[in-house]
Amino acid sequence: MIVKKFKLPSDPYNIIITGVGGQGNVMASRVLSNMLVNRGFMITIGETFGASQRGGAVMSHIRVSSKGTWSPQIPKGKADVIIALEPIEAIRVLAAYGHPGVFVLANTRPVYPVGVITGELNYPSREEIKLSLQELSAQLWLIDATDQAIGLGNPILTNIIMIGAFAKLGKLPILLDDFIKVMEQTLTGDKLEINLKAFTLGMEALET
Amino acid sequence: MSKLLEVREGSCHLLMGNEAIARGALEAGINVAAAYPGTPSSEILENLAQVAKVRNLYVEWSTNEKVAMEVAAAASFAGLRSLCVMKQNGVNVASDFMLHLAGSGTRGGMVLVTCDDPGALSSVNEGESRHFARMIEVPLLEPGDFQEAKDMTRWAFELSEELRTLIMLRSVTRMSHASGNISMGKLQDQLRRAEFRYDGFILDPNEGPVLSAPVAYKHGLQQGKIEKARELFEQSPFNTYEGPEKPELLIITSSACTLYSREAIHLLNLGGRVGLLKLGTTWPLPPNLLKKYLTLTGTILIVEEVLPFLEENVKIIAAETAKEIGIKTFYGKNDGTIPMTGELSPDLVVSALSRILEIPYAAIDPAYEKKAQAAAFFKAPQRGLAFCPGCPHRASYWNIRNALTLDDRQGFVCGDIGCYTLDIFPGGANTLKTLHAMGSGTGVASGFGQLSPFGLDKPVMAVCGDSTFFHAAMPALVNAIHHRANITVVILDNSGTAMTGFQSHPGLCINAMGQEAPKVDIAKICAAMGAKVAVCDPFDLPETQKTLNRLMEDEVGVKVLILNQKCGLSPEKKAVKKYDVHVDENLCIGEDCGCNRLCTRIFRCPALLWDKEKEKARVDDVLCAGCGVCTGICPQAAIVKEVA
């Protein structure tokens, strides 16, 4: 198996996928983790999704290891990569789990908290978000994933585009074929096709 | 195909803790499973329901946890293996039957899985179910990782048959809703035939009637079973020790805290100094095993969530064996080393260890942390819970609040458990003034409805969901009607148990296994009970408000208003937009309107935004569910809908 030759950047390698209820956060963490299980890794996922469809922040902690099971909560300051389906959620997660060496991939499209909608709270500008994320990460990729997903015909594909971008980052041995293998388990025809397109778009987003 | 049907023994799959528990039950060859949905437990029965046909199971969403336990017990009495599942506070509901079940004993293997929610991530309580095991005298198991969640569940059925008692298996959110690699065991076929024997001698456990009487005799038998469990647990492979032979400090833990403790030892590089005793059989505790490990060191840290259950029980053993093991220093919840509330984490165990052993630890570089905290404070506004776009509850509470305001007698609403509980959060209308258990809205309202002779002159309202109505509100409603309480009960019928993932209930024409089922009509029940019943569509704002005001003005007896509108996430509605909604910028006059941004400041739909630059409302097409309700709230009629 290829994984035998692949040395994890750290063991466990810690990924946080974050977003807002309804964005497909949990699905993204399952897909990514199943790709890695197929590659022979031990995975532990911890998910906070109790009120996930009701506007709350959602977070999946993924621990990738060749040794065993880890805590389903990543210790503070120990995230290696943050994949944010919503940009300010990346900032929130960095405050607890970030460190100067963390990589951040963030979707650019805001989902406004109810306090912002009512006018009680302020949502930062795109430029302010970018500055903060740059300051708090080793490297940052801002990806217009929702816009691209709308282009494909369905904004829910945002999560798959972000996973494609992470795959391209090359920190873990996951390729388009790994994605196909996992998605073929549950999808066929047009639905499979559109997901593959989304994943590929994500990979391309990191190249440019 | 569901992963739970995997037939290759030893094959490895990524399973959620709840899936692992379901798989363990399948490997034990269960016949019957019953549950009431509740986060974080719901996926166990959902997964079993999906494979019910293939694995020849009977699976049901029962009306409440007590009924679920009764249904599962009947299968056990008939010699079959059965599972019942609930969240922590569900055990309170089931506990009356559970007490008597402990007395009567079981026949076929029967397991209660309870999923606690430390930190109340999706609960309005931080209940602790483990004390029921001690109080009701049944054995308690707690898996320490995902593999154990499966293996222990399978074993629990064997243990139940060996001891002839209910076995309780307790999970927590971070076990149930976490996932890990699981090696599959053998999927067992069920070969049992249901047969209930009752004609034998009254004390015959196999052939006699199943009773908790004669009480003293049966109680004694039950205590004998606990003694037997205590002996069996001395040898259990689920109790493990890792660490040096002579540790400076011994951690005693169970459940997900095992993973936090192990990680904390790793983070502080204490593998050579700290021992970890992980207990899987936590009631009754095996005293000799405890004695053996307590002897290793003088300093003990007990790591557990919710109440100090392990801590107190370990201390009893330590006191009883003090002459042999010596005096110990205990750290845990009672001395404040481990927080008394909230869920634990690796960091909280690190902080306990670093305080006791005086090892400094900084999780994050202080300069970075300062910057990151400032960024989060200024640039990541809090995300309060809100009703989803298209949610019928937003419309219902809009109507309730407007009706209360128009009524002008300072009426209030007694709350209940479901998505509609979110009215108390920033996204809600803030009309709920009491909030307790399932069905309590109607029960508490029934009490308020008797207080006018003592001077309470405010109109009393209660809300109740459709699943909650069947679960526990019906007895409260009967009580209110019989005692002529002057109340208005609003039943928010969204056609499903929405909060927990849209499970079926008796008000629907489908059951857990996807079969057609007779629908029990809520309006007819309420009318038959003797309430004055009205039915409205909450999306029809004027009609609903008018009806509510009419019912509140009628001061004789119980009035019920049923608000029918399917949940926006229901399979029929999800991803289907009825209307395309947009704001006509020529009609929206923004801050000049005088409505003071009613649409965004008060209505609070995540898809209806305020464009600061244009100073006009705007619809977010990605989020909008197309319910069209907001078109009825704008005084300028600037929000426009077209059939999609």
Side-chain angles (χ1 to χ4, degrees), chain A residues 11-12 14 19-21 29-30 33-34 37 40-59 63 67 69-78 86 88-89 91-92 94-102 109-124 127-129 131-132 135-137 146 150 155-156 185, chain B residues 1 3 12-14 16 19 39 43 121-122 145-146 173-175 177-181 256 259-260 262-263 266-267 305 343-347 361-365 368-369 371-373 375-376 378-389 419 422 426-427 498-501 569 574 597 599-602 604-610 612 618 620-623:
Chain A
D11 195 338
N14 298 326
V20 181
S29 83
R30 297 278 166 85
S33 299
N34 275 309
V37 167
F41 291 109
M42 299 285 286
I43 303 294
T44 312
I45 317 175
E47 271 152 344
T48 308
F49 62 83
S52 61
Q53 285 285 3
R54 286 100 198 157
V58 189
M59 197 168 37
R63 326 279 315 260
K67 294 174 186 162
T69 299
W70 292 83
S71 152
Q73 292 185 68
I74 292 172
K76 298 278 184 290
K78 296 283 186 259
E86 204 280 350
I88 63 160
E89 292 312 312
I91 298 177
R92 205 187 311 281
L94 282 165
Y97 300 97
H99 58 89
V102 67
R109 187 179 175 107
V111 176
Y112 297 107
V114 66
V116 172
I117 289 172
T118 60
E120 291 151 285
L121 300 172
N122 187 40
Y123 194 96
E127 198 50 37
E128 283 177 295
I129 293 172
L131 283 174
S132 271
E135 193 189 10
L136 296 171
S137 63
T146 302
I150 292 169
I156 197 66
Q185 303 269 319
Chain B
M1 188 192 79
K3 282 187 271 194
C12 180
H13 288 273
L14 183 67
M16 198 190 195
E19 292 171 328
T39 313
E43 295 83 2
L121 300 177
S122 189
D145 63 27
F146 313 106
T173 304
R174 298 292 180 187
M175 186 64 63
H177 278 182
S179 309
N181 299 53
L259 299 169
Y260 306 152
R262 197 177 284 144
E263 183 118 19
H266 172 78
L267 286 168
E305 288 175 309
E343 70 166 347
L344 295 188
S345 64
D347 297 280
Y361 177 83
I364 309 174
D365 167 63
Y368 178 91
E369 189 173 23
K371 273 192 296 185
Q373 296 284 355
F378 292 110
K379 294 181 188 170
Q382 281 305 310
R383 210 172 272 287
L385 295 178
F387 295 116
C388 308
C419 284
L422 298 190
M499 185 99 210
T500 49
L569 302 174
K574 199 173 180 181
R597 296 201 293 109
C599 52
T600 46
R601 201 175 55 84
I602 308 293
R604 302 182 177 186
C605 174
L608 187 54
L609 312 176
W610 186 252
K612 270 189 184 169
R618 173 169 71 83
D620 184 328
D621 286 334
V622 169
L623 296 177

Side-chain angles (χ1 to χ4, degrees), chain B residues 577-584 624 626-628 631 639-644:
Chain B
K577 271 193 188 183
K578 190 173 179 192
Y579 298 108
D580 281 325
V581 182
H582 69 273
V583 175
D584 185 329
C624 178
C627 70
T631 59
I639 310 175
V640 189
K641 66 182 179 190
E642 289 158 28
V643 176

Side-chain angles (χ1 to χ4, degrees), chain B residues 289-310:
Chain B
L289 180 99
L290 262 299
K291 214 170 82 181
K292 177 180 160 190
Y293 289 104
L294 287 171
T295 310
L296 299 184
T297 179
T299 309
I300 316 291
L301 169 64
I302 295 168
V303 180
E304 64 188 317
E305 288 175 309
V306 194
L307 294 175
F309 176 78
L310 266 185

Side-chain angles (χ1 to χ4, degrees), chain B residues 542-559:
Chain B
E543 183 60 30
T544 305
Q545 282 168 39
K546 204 171 72 188
T547 308
L548 261 173
N549 281 113
R550 177 171 58 79
L551 295 177
M552 285 166 70
E553 281 158 24
D554 174 353
E555 297 200 1
V556 184
V558 176
K559 289 77 61 181

Side-chain angles (χ1 to χ4, degrees), chain B residues 355-412:
Chain B
R355 245 179 300 156
I356 300 167
L357 297 173
E358 297 178 352
I359 304 167
Y361 177 83
I364 309 174
D365 167 63
Y368 178 91
E369 189 173 23
K370 203 175 156 193
K371 273 192 296 185
Q373 296 284 355
F377 185 81
F378 292 110
K379 294 181 188 170
Q382 281 305 310
R383 210 172 272 287
L385 295 178
F387 295 116
C388 308
C391 177
H393 299 322
R394 177 178 298 99
S396 295
Y397 281 116
W398 180 267
N399 292 318
I400 288 171
R401 182 176 43 198
N402 287 351
L404 289 170
T405 308
L406 191 66
D407 181 85
D408 204 24
R409 288 178 291 165
Q410 294 178 305
F412 61 93

Side-chain angles (χ1 to χ4, degrees), chain B residues 55-78:
Chain B
R55 296 302 305 169
N56 188 31
L57 310 179
Y58 173 73
V59 177
E60 72 166 43
W61 288 119
S62 309
T63 45
N64 65 37
E65 293 85 355
K66 177 168 172 279
V67 176
M69 194 180 280
E70 288 156 350
V71 166
S76 166
F77 300 157

